[in-house]
Amino acid sequence: MPTVTVADLTHGDFLLDVREDDEWQAGHAADALHIPMSEFVSRFGELTEAAPQDGRVNVICRSGGRSAQVTMYLAQQGIDAANVDGGMQVWEASGKPVVDDKGQPGTVI
């Protein structure tokens, strides 16, 4: 399965956060698209509308397990996708910005 590290990501890379609503509200990457894994199949069209046509979809969750499952699903659909190794825990530990649902500094739960 294609995997990227948080350090591999640069500003402007497309990021899909598949954590649940409470996790998202507590803290997420500011520019990420949020589609919870539990709703992913029914909301798949939101991803195809938002994702870059010629770019990779970087999938993130808290630690990498859920995002790995979604990454495999996307690859089966022919979408260029990669799992973000270590997820939002590594994102936050690396000093990358985390905001809550009001745009204020957030935390990863």
Side-chain angles (χ1 to χ4, degrees), residues 6-94:
V6 168
D8 293 332
L9 299 173
T10 61
H11 182 72
D13 284 344
F14 188 84
L15 191 63
L16 170 65
D17 190 324
V18 296
R19 296 174 303 143
E20 295 304 314
D21 288 335
D22 61 328
E23 296 171 287
W24 171 265
Q25 291 165 359
H28 58 272
D31 295 329
L33 172 66
H34 178 231
I35 303 176
M37 183 176 161
S38 62
E39 302 171 13
F40 190 75
V41 174
S42 65
R43 294 177 57 188
F44 183 71
E46 292 177 43
L47 172 65
T48 58
E49 287 180 20
Q53 296 302 310
D54 59 350
R56 183 178 61 213
V57 174
N58 299 290
V59 188
I60 197 165
C61 66
R62 183 172 185 266
S63 61
R66 289 172 285 179
S67 55
Q69 293 177 51
V70 172
T71 299
M72 288 187 290
Y73 175 80
L74 291 174
Q76 292 170 350
Q77 307 307 310
I79 294 173
D80 181 11
N83 185 35
V84 179
D85 189 38
M88 286 299 298
Q89 290 178 319
V90 171
W91 180 278
E92 184 176 48
S94 298

